[in-house]
Amino acid sequence: MGACLGVCSLLSCVSCLCGSAPCLLCGCCPSTKNSTISRLLFTFFLFLGTLVSIIMIIPGVEKELHKLPGFCEGSGSVLGVQPHLDCSSFLGHKAVYRMGFSMAAFFCLFAVLMVCVRSSKDPRAALQNGFWFFKFLVLVGITVGAFYIPDGAFTTVWFYFGVVGSFLFILIQLVLLIDFAHSWSQRWLCNAGESNAKGWYAALCTVTFIFYAASIAAVALLYVYYTKPEGCTEGKAFISINLILCLIVSVVSILPKIQEAQLHSGLLQASLITLYTIYVTWSALANVPTQRCNPTLLVRNSTGPATATELPTAWWDAPSIVGLLIFILCTLFISLRSSDHPQVNKLMLTEESGAGAGAGPGGAAEEGGVRRAYDNEQDGVSYSYTFFHLCLLLAALYIMMTLTNWYRPDESLQVLRSPWTAVWVKISSSWAGLLLYLWTLVAPLVLPDRDFS
């Protein structure tokens, strides 16, 4: 909480941007769309909560959390553990869950408030695009209240909320990745066609080769480290199935019929989807609750960072770090960019259309030489406010599960373990993602009367 309150001074600087109307930009900043600034500031709130969560799971900070009144004693239990047990190993886990709950509640509140907002003329649009200091106070208030939630069944119930939200956010990540891959390939092919330069084709082939080479190397490492000649059947099956599915979508992407229906479809998109699928497979295998088949498994109990019979390992593993980086890129992608692809815009409910009515020269209103964030939504919102907040809600749940490695207390309520639920959710999301990408390839053939341009 000290870290959260410590950024008040920073936010007071940001609050100079704040008003009940469109936010003012500093004189040194370029004129920007009001809708873009609003999304960036909400994303800043999400990153701020993520930063506080990361601070709370740092070992030195985690051990000091027991000093918070009632956080380790007084409520009768911590994650169901009786007070006579040392709960120091659970404090970071508990704090991250509380932070995840507060961020999800904050974005859920705004998702409900912004239902059916059609333009900036709606009075509720001022709540979306202004009053940032008061929003920050609301977030801090929800966070403080979350730390007083009685333990009881909260962690168990909220774990399943996190699992469902993370599954949906992984699919959103894949939609964004598919769109990014299509746009990337289309732009490079257009550049090659306009300049008639073979360098663009060479670059396209090189990047595609690197992605496939990295995927093959990753698959080999997964077989080496997460399987054994005898046993570990689940790991072998997961790796093999996803490898076969990746080969299928790669072959389908270059079939003549697919190429005719989608001129820019190719191996670059398939290679990027393959690499992402292998990452999700790796992340799933890192949650297999069997030490023999998962060398990165960590079991935390009530008396120390690892059980006496297991070798201590880093609490934050490599898949979690990669997941954090992907989370940051995807949330920024959601905040900054609308797709060049109309179908993706329709799916993500975003469409940067129309020039800002009432804007000054060049689309920016200026008063006394001070450049403002101009209102580009008087005729209609450029993105669905509610859907945007739902995406951030799912992102908050995803980062909560990532920071806790998808671990939860076992039946004895004295040990944090990795459940099979996490493994199956991640593997299922990888399968759903591959099927979604396959659908984007074959949809123009299955539904020839619809426009997929």
Side-chain angles (χ1 to χ4, degrees), residues 316-345:
W316 250 42
D317 55 6
S320 297
I321 297 175
V322 176
L324 177 63
L325 295 176
I326 294 176
F327 154 79
I328 293 173
L329 293 176
C330 285
T331 48
L332 286 175
F333 195 93
I334 292 171
S335 302
L336 291 173
R337 184 178 182 275
S338 64
S339 174
D340 297 330
H341 198 293
Q343 297 301 323
V344 176
N345 273 332

Side-chain angles (χ1 to χ4, degrees), residues 350-373:
T350 59
E351 184 177 359
E352 292 287 355
S353 60
E366 297 187 7
E367 289 185 12
V370 178
R371 287 175 284 187
R372 291 180 176 270

Side-chain angles (χ1 to χ4, degrees), residues 63-85:
K63 293 179 180 178
E64 297 298 320
L65 291 176
H66 72 277
K67 295 180 180 179
L68 293 177
F71 198 60
C72 192
E73 296 181 26
S75 62
S77 64
V78 175
L79 300 178
V81 181
Q82 296 304 315
H84 68 274
L85 294 176

Side-chain angles (χ1 to χ4, degrees), residues 120-195:
S120 60
K121 297 176 183 177
D122 191 311
R124 291 175 294 167
L127 293 176
Q128 173 75 7
N129 300 316
F131 302 103
W132 296 103
F133 181 72
F134 298 103
K135 291 175 185 175
F136 175 74
L137 293 182
V138 170
L139 178 58
V140 171
I142 295 175
T143 302
V144 173
F147 276 75
Y148 288 93
I149 297 176
D151 293 319
F154 171 79
T155 301
T156 301
V157 174
W158 196 240
F159 171 82
Y160 287 105
F161 273 93
V163 164
V164 175
S166 299
F167 175 84
L168 296 176
F169 189 72
I170 290 174
L171 293 184
I172 290 177
Q173 285 181 337
L174 193 80
V175 170
L176 298 176
L177 191 66
I178 292 173
D179 172 48
F180 172 74
H182 278 297
S183 299
W184 186 1
S185 176
Q186 182 176 349
R187 186 169 290 109
W188 280 19
L189 288 174
C190 289
N191 290 340
E194 292 173 359
S195 61

